[in-house]
Amino acid sequence: MHKDKFDAFFKNRKNLIFLYNKGDLSKEEFIEENFTYIMNMNVKPFRKIDHIKKGVFNYQYYNSMAKYYRMMAYDYSPHSSKRVQYLDYTNDYYSKKDYTTLKILELLDYENLDAYYVKVKSTNFKNKLIEIVLHDYPDVILHTKSSMIKKRLVDNYAFSETKQHSVIEDYINEKY
């Protein structure tokens, strides 16, 4: 990916976060705007993740795609083939996001980060949603429900069993 597109992506994301935090965008609008921007950029994720920024781009790409298709799935009836298709896309993108998260953690050698369960309102995420804060990248906050990632964090002494409030608590607790 060309450096200008890479920088433009992160600048746009930062702007969307600003607008969301200011109340100018709902969570649904944030997800739609992010998805639309990615589609208009006409870029694909990096094949090889050999730098944190590439990993963060891939993470955001897959996360945006997963959230968008999850949101779209619920516009259809529970047994609709379109809903099933969109939920399959969602699961595939979340799986790729988790793979990317592991690559980021490996590049960091599991150092200079905090990882913990997040206190959430959702019963679906209770004792499942893990937040990973990268101290050297203050704008990067990763989330996962992967038990494999948790195991790797624990094995590398990088996971705290103490539940904490999320750094982006309002966002993760807002339904869409």
Side-chain angles (χ1 to χ4, degrees):
M1 179 191 323
H2 193 271
K3 186 180 179 336
D4 290 343
K5 282 189 176 184
F6 191 76
D7 291 339
F9 170 80
F10 285 108
K11 183 177 180 181
N12 181 70
R13 179 159 176 77
K14 194 170 189 168
N15 185 52
L16 290 176
I17 291 168
F18 172 77
L19 292 173
Y20 171 79
N21 288 335
K22 199 170 110 176
D24 290 350
L25 292 176
S26 67
K27 186 171 185 175
E28 186 174 292
E29 290 168 328
F30 174 85
I31 291 166
E32 287 175 357
E33 291 289 328
N34 212 16
F35 176 83
T36 300
Y37 187 80
I38 288 171
M39 292 294 98
N40 288 338
M41 283 182 74
N42 196 28
V43 294
K44 299 290 180 211
F46 293 98
R47 290 184 185 189
K48 183 177 181 182
I49 301 170
D50 55 2
H51 189 277
I52 298 298
K53 282 189 174 184
K54 286 182 178 179
V56 171
F57 174 82
N58 281 17
Y59 175 95
Q60 296 300 346
Y61 178 93
Y62 294 132
N63 194 46
S64 295
M65 300 299 278
K67 285 183 178 182
Y68 177 79
Y69 283 112
R70 183 177 183 277
M71 185 174 70
M72 295 305 293
Y74 291 102
D75 285 346
Y76 296 91
S77 65
H79 302 291
S80 159
S81 63
K82 202 67 163 166
R83 183 174 184 157
V84 170
Q85 178 186 21
Y86 283 166
L87 290 175
D88 285 346
Y89 290 163
T90 299
N91 292 332
D92 182 54
Y93 284 122
Y94 275 138
S95 174
K96 290 174 179 175
K97 182 190 86 163
D98 283 339
Y99 170 80
T100 299
T101 300
L102 277 175
K103 296 305 277 181
I104 290 169
L105 294 172
E106 289 168 5
L107 284 169
L108 293 170
D109 201 25
Y110 294 86
E111 292 182 5
N112 209 15
L113 59 90
D114 287 323
Y116 45 83
Y117 282 122
V118 177
K119 293 180 182 180
V120 292
K121 293 176 184 174
S122 166
T123 55
N124 192 32
F125 288 131
K126 196 170 218 146
N127 298 321
K128 292 180 187 168
L129 187 63
I130 297 168
E131 182 166 89
I132 305 167
V133 177
L134 310 180
H135 295 295
D136 293 333
Y137 302 87
D139 293 335
V140 179
I141 301 155
L142 311 175
H143 290 100
T144 186
K145 294 190 319 180
S146 168
S147 57
M148 178 186 53
I149 291 174
K150 181 190 175 195
K151 182 179 180 346
R152 296 266 181 93
L153 288 163
V154 169
D155 290 350
N156 285 280
Y157 307 100
F159 186 81
S160 170
E161 290 291 338
T162 306
K163 287 184 200 163
Q164 298 182 36
H165 289 281
S166 174
V167 175
I168 55 172
E169 187 166 346
D170 291 341
Y171 180 80
I172 65 165
N173 282 312
E174 182 181 342
K175 290 185 179 188
Y176 60 98

